[in-house]
Amino acid sequence: MALTAVASRTREFVGRRLTAAKGALGFLTRIPTGRSESAWTAFSETPAAFPLAGWVVGALAATPFLAAALVPVPAPTVAFGYLLALYAVTGINHADGVADLGDAAAVHGDPEARRAVLKDTEVGVGAVLALGLVVVGLALAALALARLPLAAAVTVVVAAEVGAKFGMAALACLGDPAFEGLGSAFTDNAPVALVAPAAVAAPVVGLGRFVTPLAAVGFPAVTLGASAAGLVAASTAALAGAVAVALALLRWSRANLGGVNGDVFGAANELARIAGLHLGVVAWTLS
């Protein structure tokens, strides 16, 4: 009987985590899965599903770099392909958070005044500037990635995406809601501990160690010019940089908004990704 009970609890635990993962993909991407109420509920209670979705998004967004290894094309074309692949997978919901937060940051007033701007449907100069900087920053990072060895480019892309999603998990675990809404659905239900999200995100640091051995089994083009130490440095910088930006935005939101909301989650994802990509490229260059 005891073994049966343990097996039942194990199945329930695994099933819940799989449902949460589907919910994360349904919410964070355009992949048609996990859009049921049960998947959403499981996701909102499982912050570790954020970085898990990051692994999937990063792998899919990196496909233009893989394709360029097979059919050489100019670096700007590869970079543009990355932008297309990224937003084809993720959609533009998070960009709305960047726009709203840009307008809120431009307001001279107390947190209540800034929260009012978040709910305003008009687009101001702060939103335009914020979105412009994000697109330019992402495009420049993509252009730099397109000139790296394939292994380095893929490693940085995946690490930055996992880091951005880990940053969102940190907002869920450590943040307080600015008001009732999408953000509070995560902050009210998520556990405070970041152990599970960290356990899902941390292996991305060693991703390069799984890539470099491909040269020994017939795929030298994948690892041409790439070293395991350089890849570890790049993935570490990408992960750490993305998380640092998300935590900085959490601090800013507490001081200027009184907490986090859905826009903060979206903006954290976009800004953390850009920071992770640039820092990953810098770390690879210096290594």
Side-chain angles (χ1 to χ4, degrees):
M1 292 293 291
L3 289 176
T4 302
V6 170
S8 177
R9 291 194 186 96
T10 301
R11 285 195 299 270
E12 182 180 351
F13 177 84
V14 173
R16 186 73 172 172
R17 296 305 179 270
L18 289 175
T19 302
K22 290 180 180 179
L25 290 173
F27 178 74
L28 298 171
T29 75
R30 296 176 61 85
I31 298 173
T33 183
R35 294 178 183 170
S36 65
E37 184 176 348
S38 61
W40 163 254
T41 301
F43 171 41
S44 68
E45 297 172 349
T46 313
F50 277 107
L52 186 61
W55 280 93
V56 177
V57 173
L60 293 175
T63 53
F65 300 103
L66 295 169
L70 300 175
V71 182
V73 293
T77 303
V78 180
F80 184 58
Y82 165 70
L83 265 65
L84 291 178
L86 179 65
Y87 285 113
V89 172
T90 63
I92 59 173
N93 286 341
H94 298 314
D96 181 65
V98 173
D100 287 343
L101 222 62
D103 276 340
V107 170
H108 297 285
D110 57 16
E112 185 176 353
R114 289 191 173 91
R115 289 196 297 268
V117 171
L118 291 177
K119 299 177 182 180
D120 193 343
T121 57
E122 293 185 5
V123 176
V125 65
V128 175
L129 179 60
L131 285 173
L133 289 174
V134 165
V135 173
V136 171
L138 189 62
L140 290 175
L143 185 58
L145 286 165
R147 291 170 173 157
L148 297 187
L150 175 59
V154 172
T155 297
V156 171
V157 167
V158 176
E161 204 64 49
V162 171
K165 300 302 186 289
F166 180 67
M168 296 176 82
L171 293 180
C173 293
L174 305 177
D176 298 310
F179 46 79
E180 213 43 49
L182 179 62
S184 64
F186 292 112
T187 57
D188 290 347
N189 293 322
V192 175
L194 273 168
V195 176
V200 175
V204 79
V205 171
L207 180 61
R209 296 190 180 278
F210 293 96
V211 176
T212 49
L214 292 175
V217 293
F219 296 95
V222 174
T223 54
L224 185 63
S227 68
L231 294 176
V232 170
S235 58
T236 301
L239 177 64
V243 175
V245 166
L247 292 177
L249 190 56
L250 171 61
R251 182 177 180 181
W252 181 90
S253 300
R254 283 172 172 165
N256 294 279
L257 300 176
V260 301
N261 75 325
D263 291 323
V264 176
F265 275 89
N269 180 75
E270 300 299 302
L271 298 176
R273 176 195 293 126
I274 292 172
L277 292 175
H278 280 280
L279 289 174
V281 171
V282 169
W284 166 261
T285 303
L286 295 177
S287 67

